[in-house]
Amino acid sequence: MTIGITGATGNVGSRAVRLLIQAGVRPRLLVRDPARLDSGTAELSEIAQCDLLDPTALSAAIEGLDTLLWITPENFTAADPLAEMSAMAAAGAAAAEHHRVRRIVLISSVGAERGHGAGLIDGLARSEEAFTDIGAHVAVLRNGYYFTNLLGNLDELRDGRLTTTMPADRPMPWVDPRDVGEVAAALLLAGHWSGTVVQAVHGPRDLTWSEVAEIVGLMIGRKISLDVVPDEAVAAGLSQAGLSDAAVAGLIGMTAGLRDGFTPEQSRTAVTTTPTTLASWVASTLAPALAA
């Protein structure tokens, strides 16, 4: 079995890579910058250097694969991140179809089932459409809100604040992306699923933003005040930081599209529930980042 992985240096992909190596697999890592890989991982993997926006290089990197973990990266500094995501997915799906990749595990998100109207999540919806249309067996993982998104709030957390445009009391699935990587690795190694399978990865339990602020505060030893702000306030801050209008709309839309009247298509079950709690992730990852 030859398994290829995009996004191998990210939180999801790096965890999947490590588990595959521990299972005795030598994965092929499709990376733009091999220098970002740690030496131990690189030595135990096959490296295929390519840009996912380069169809020719991508096709060469995918040739000979039986199985592929496809993670569409988000480039917030791009002029149009959604267009980039869609172009990458189209190129990846075309290459996978041309080289007859049999099984594909696709990283997506809760909200992709909407198809349109959820900002950059729409890029993952385009990925779902592209890869499920080529005749391969495809397992789609629709993941909850990543704990690691809180790393983008370090400055305000140091000031004792946390802001969101989501209602404070609206529960939603939160998940450690490393757990997503573990589910992905399990599916990559399994050979019994067929057709198109859609499976959520929901974390241990749904959390409101109020609960998130409370848990983070308890774990770092200080009170965190939650501020619920309008979309316009966040959009203004993102624009001031230099993001393009398309990037701002994509980021704002990710929350707005999951906010009013949205219910995830996949309900929480024993299959979708993963073990890592927000408290343990804060202790292992967020607290050291805040102290750095």
Side-chain angles (χ1 to χ4, degrees):
M1 178 187 295
T2 306
I3 299 177
I5 297 181
T6 70
T9 58
N11 293 305
V12 174
S14 62
R15 184 60 180 151
V17 169
R18 180 58 58 89
L19 291 179
L20 291 177
I21 289 172
Q22 291 172 336
V25 173
R26 185 178 179 87
R28 182 185 302 171
L29 310 184
L30 284 62
V31 293
R32 184 171 59 181
D33 183 8
R36 293 184 59 195
L37 294 166
D38 68 78
S39 59
T41 296
E43 289 172 3
L44 296 170
S45 305
E46 177 187 352
I47 309 301
Q49 185 172 5
C50 69
D51 188 322
L52 300 188
L53 286 169
D54 182 342
T56 300
L58 181 57
S59 180
I62 285 177
E63 184 177 6
L65 294 180
D66 303 306
T67 307
L68 173 66
L69 172 59
W70 180 270
I71 303 172
T72 305
E74 298 166 337
N75 179 10
F76 300 141
T77 63
D80 190 341
L82 181 56
E84 273 202 3
M85 294 173 71
S86 299
M88 290 178 194
E97 182 176 29
H98 177 73
H99 294 296
R100 298 183 180 180
V101 179
R102 293 182 62 249
R103 294 183 184 277
I104 297 163
V105 177
L106 179 66
I107 300 300
S108 187
S109 171
V110 168
E113 61 263 45
R114 289 198 57 181
H116 298 275
L120 294 184
I121 295 175
D122 291 356
L124 300 177
R126 301 292 80 76
S127 296
E128 291 190 20
E129 293 168 356
F131 281 96
T132 57
D133 197 38
I134 67 173
H137 303 301
V138 180
V140 177
L141 295 181
R142 289 194 183 143
N143 308 308
Y145 193 80
Y146 286 164
F147 293 164
T148 47
N149 289 331
L150 291 172
L151 294 172
N153 300 87
L154 290 179
D155 287 340
E156 64 179 26
L157 286 171
R158 291 189 182 105
D159 291 335
R161 299 180 299 108
L162 180 62
T163 61
T164 181
T165 59
M166 186 69 76
D169 60 351
R170 174 73 182 269
M172 54 188 282
W174 286 67
V175 63
D176 186 339
R178 293 171 298 191
D179 287 353
V180 177
E182 293 186 1
V183 175
L187 287 168
L188 291 168
L189 292 168
H192 61 274
W193 51 276
S194 61
T196 297
V197 178
V198 180
Q199 178 176 322
V201 189
H202 283 152
R205 68 182 183 95
D206 289 2
L207 296 167
T208 67
W209 275 86
S210 291
E211 290 173 322
V212 169
E214 181 179 3
I215 292 168
V216 170
L218 286 172
M219 296 306 298
I220 66 174
R222 64 176 304 175
K223 180 177 175 57
I224 300 296
S225 298
L226 181 69
D227 296 328
V228 178
V229 300
D231 291 343
E232 295 76 13
V234 175
L238 294 172
S239 296
Q240 189 174 18
L243 273 67
S244 69
D245 290 345
V248 171
L251 286 166
I252 295 296
M254 292 174 72
T255 301
L258 306 184
R259 188 171 54 208
D260 302 320
F262 171 76
T263 301
E265 188 174 80
Q266 283 74 43
S267 59
R268 179 178 292 279
T269 68
V271 173
T272 72
T273 299
T274 48
T276 305
T277 64
L278 177 60
S280 65
W281 178 84
V282 171
S284 67
T285 305
L286 184 62
L290 285 168

